[in-house]
Amino acid sequence: RARAMDGSGSCRFVAYDAPSLSLFDSSSFDAVISLLVLQHIPSPDSKVRLIEEFVRVLRPGGLLVFQLPRHIPLLHRVQPRPRLYGVLRSAGFDSATLYNRLHLHPIRMTSLPRSSVEALIEGAGGRILDVREQTIPGGVVSCDYVATRDT
């Protein structure tokens, strides 16, 4: 779908995996949306940098929406499935078999405290409009952040 829309004049899609958004100018986006992504970036420093970058690239009056857990219970932090995936891959098991037949995956989930995220947004020049928390099965507490940039 992204390829079909790319070049339509209304959207441009870019695959980009750097820990910053330096490819993009400041104040160049009307909206920045990130759902179910930041929680899978293992480095807290990379998460921090990306949240700061979200605010930097947002135009004044633009809308920033992203989701990130604020708490992951100990049982989920241990994350046996990704650990077992890593052990079996190291032992030579095929990734497709591990994923499709054993339902194992390498993706770990991480979090940042809500107070830290709010401070990051405000420190980068953003203003928080709303934060909604929900506890999902297993006790993970996830936050949906909505923010803007005034100047």
Side-chain angles (χ1 to χ4, degrees), residues 103-117:
H103 307 289
L104 298 175
H105 58 80
I107 301 172
R108 300 191 66 194
M109 187 165 45
T110 58
S111 63
L112 284 178
R114 177 176 171 172
S115 59
S116 298
V117 173

Side-chain angles (χ1 to χ4, degrees), residues 4 10 15 26 35-37 47 49 55 68 70 81 83 85 106 116 125 134:
S10 62
S26 295
L35 302 173
L36 302 174
V37 174
K47 275 194 248 315
R49 180 74 180 131
V55 176
L68 182 63
R70 73 157 178 83
R81 296 172 72 94
R83 290 178 189 271
Y85 177 95
S116 298
Q134 65 177 341

Side-chain angles (χ1 to χ4, degrees), residues 111-143:
S111 63
L112 284 178
R114 177 176 171 172
S115 59
S116 298
V117 173
E118 290 176 349
L120 280 168
I121 293 168
E122 292 170 354
R127 180 171 47 92
I128 297 166
L129 301 174
D130 193 18
V131 180
R132 296 191 181 168
E133 287 192 9
Q134 65 177 341
T135 302
I136 59 176
V140 174
V141 181
S142 186
C143 293

Side-chain angles (χ1 to χ4, degrees), residues 75-111:
L75 179 61
H76 286 280
R77 281 186 299 213
V78 171
Q79 302 188 38
R81 296 172 72 94
R83 290 178 189 271
L84 181 56
Y85 177 95
V87 167
L88 293 175
R89 281 292 289 146
S90 295
F93 282 81
D94 176 60
S95 62
T97 300
L98 295 175
Y99 187 77
N100 295 323
R101 296 190 71 209
L102 300 177
H103 307 289
L104 298 175
H105 58 80
I107 301 172
R108 300 191 66 194
M109 187 165 45
T110 58
S111 63

Side-chain angles (χ1 to χ4, degrees), residues 2 8 13 40-41 56 65-66 80 85 96-97 104 123 131 151:
S8 68
F13 295 89
H40 299 300
I41 296 174
R56 181 188 66 78
V65 178
F66 68 95
Y85 177 95
T97 300
L104 298 175
V131 180
T151 57

